[in-house]
């Protein structure tokens, strides 16, 4: 997943190790004309390397010269900072203002053991570009990797990140550490790998028009969470061995978001990895939440997932849906055939309970293999036009009710009701979508039925008026 760098720019400022390849001391930071910004001992020599309003000349760099290079580029109107390959240990976070591009050249940036800021890298402006970064979190607890300033929320960010590898977050109790926090509008992320125990590997919040392409997330408590965002495009997302004994949460969550398109999402080998019977309560993919108080403008809507695969994931539920309008989900949930008494994915789909949520106008098209339970907790009664294209089981045929009494289709898929015999004068179907009542059969005198089929979509009801009850049978309707 992590692709070796191919992107190179002419630089305004160059950062390099303080010892050359032949063992000679060399300046840590120079500009494109060879002027020394930070010397080989880490002394800051140029006032243009200081943050605004700060006199840092004569002080020691705390960031192996990287922050001084960023400041110098900003203060001289330059654009590009480049690092030579090597190891750079930082004691303070990197703060990146607008219009700065950094080519890390596959150098390793490592946090010092005494690093104590909330994030290693803070994006504080627009049009920032980061390329070819390898960030070693060095097991420092309660430190996230890359954060975007709250000033960019609901604002244009234009962030670009390509070829980013972040790893070695702290292990142990549930620390508060986020791999990457994205917000704002118009950002592009490509070739991202996050590994090694972040609490949440990636968060997208209050974002719009964000494109994320080629992501591998390994060993996070929760891999990916999207909140309050729209026009989010994810492509080739591989969530491998996530979930944690320290923090029980869903591997991936989407909530209060609109127009989310995901192509090729794989969730596998997650949860308490080595004990398949220790179900941790985790969920593979969760859409909506039991705790959100939804309004007409905050329902999840127009979420399309093509080629979802939840395989051997060690979660209680593969897919849980609490809320959604216009969901289109197509994929596979299952376990390898060698598991016959244990189920790494226990239940395929569950529909969660939230009195303010709705599940409407949605299609769930999932293939299943070797699950203990295919579907549990059917859609709530306020849902309609939501179907599972491949019915997971034959519906139970209810008892024919008293004449004039409605019976509802509570299955998450359409059914055909075949009616026989009796003495029937009227059959009506009430559509869940808008309450319209259709009379599908009417006779002036009682009539014996001869296998007449009546279709009920999820949430629809059927009402039969008769003097002698007919018999019926309910079967799945595939289309």
């Amino acid at each position: 997943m992590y692709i070796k760098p191919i992107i190179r720019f002419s630089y305004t400022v160059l950062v390099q190790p303080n010892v050359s390849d032949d063992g000679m001391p060399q300046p840590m930071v120079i500009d494109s004309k060879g002027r020394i910004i930070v010397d080989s001992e880490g002394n800051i020599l140029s006032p243009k390397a200081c943050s605004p309003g700060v006199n840092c000349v004569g002080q020691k760099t705390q960031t192996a010269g990287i922050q001084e290079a960023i400041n110098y580029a900003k203060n001289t109107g330059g654009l590009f900072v480049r690092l030579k390959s090597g190891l750079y240990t930082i004691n303070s976070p990197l703060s990146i203002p607008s219009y700065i591009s950094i080519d890390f050249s596959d150098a390793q940036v490592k946090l010092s053991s005494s690093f104590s800021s909330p994030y290693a890298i803070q994006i504080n402006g627009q049009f920032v570009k980061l390329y070819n970064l390898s960030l070693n979190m060095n097991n420092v607890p309660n430190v996230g990797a890359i954060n975007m300033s709250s000033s960019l929320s609901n604002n244009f960010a234009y962030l670009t990140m390509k070829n980013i590898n972040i790893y070695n977050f702290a292990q142990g109790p549930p620390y508060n550490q986020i791999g990457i926090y994205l917000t704002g509008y118009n950002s592009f992320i490509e070739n991202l790998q996050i590994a090694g125990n972040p609490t949440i590997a990636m968060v997208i919040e209050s974002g719009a028009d964000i494109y994320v392409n080629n992501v591998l997330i390994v060993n996070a408590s929760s891999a990916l969470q999207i909140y309050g965002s729209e026009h989010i495009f994810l492509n080739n997302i591989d969530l491998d061995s996530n979930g944690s004994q320290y923090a029980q949460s869903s591997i991936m969550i989407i909530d209060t978001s609109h127009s989310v398109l995901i192509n090729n999402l794989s969730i596998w080998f997650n949860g308490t990895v080595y004990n398949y019977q220790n179900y941790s309560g985790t969920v593979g993919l969760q859409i909506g939440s039991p705790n959100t108080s939804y309004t007409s403008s905050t329902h999840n809507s127009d979420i399309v997932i093509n080629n979802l695969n939840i395989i051997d994931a060690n979660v209680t539920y593969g897919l849980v849906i609490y809320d959604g309008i216009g969901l289109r989900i197509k994929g596979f949930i299952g376990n390898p055939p060698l598991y016959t008494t244990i189920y790494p994915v226990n239940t395929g789909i569950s529909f969660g309970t939230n009195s303010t949520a709705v599940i409407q106008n949605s299609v769930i098209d999932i293939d299943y293999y070797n699950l203990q339970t295919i579907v549990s907790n059917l859609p709530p009664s306020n849902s309609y036009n939501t179907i599972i294209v491949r019915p997971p089981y034959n519906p139970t045929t209810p008892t024919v009710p008293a004449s004039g009494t409605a019976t509802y289709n509570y299955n998450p898929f359409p059914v055909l009701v075949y009616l026989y015999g009796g003495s029937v004068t009227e059959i009506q179907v009430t559509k869940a979508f808008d309450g319209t009542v259709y009379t599908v059969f009417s006779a002036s005198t009682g009539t014996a039925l001869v296998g007449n089929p009546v279709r009920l979509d999820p949430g629809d009801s059927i009402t039969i008026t008769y003097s002698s009850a007919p018999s019926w049978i309910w079967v799945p309707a595939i289309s």
Side-chain angles (χ1 to χ4, degrees), residues 132-159:
N132 312 315
L133 168 64
S134 178
L135 179 57
N136 182 352
M137 302 301 292
N138 195 28
N139 285 302
V140 179
N142 298 313
V143 177
I146 300 175
N147 182 58
M148 295 180 70
S149 169
S150 59
S151 65
L152 295 170
S153 177
N154 299 315
N155 200 351
F156 289 97
Y158 299 107
L159 171 68

Side-chain angles (χ1 to χ4, degrees), residues 391-423:
Y393 46 71
N394 289 323
T396 300
T397 296
T399 302
V400 176
S403 176
T405 302
T407 299
Y408 290 85
N409 176 21
Y410 290 122
N411 295 289
F413 50 83
V415 298
L416 292 177
V417 180
Y418 287 89
L419 296 124
Y420 302 88
S423 181

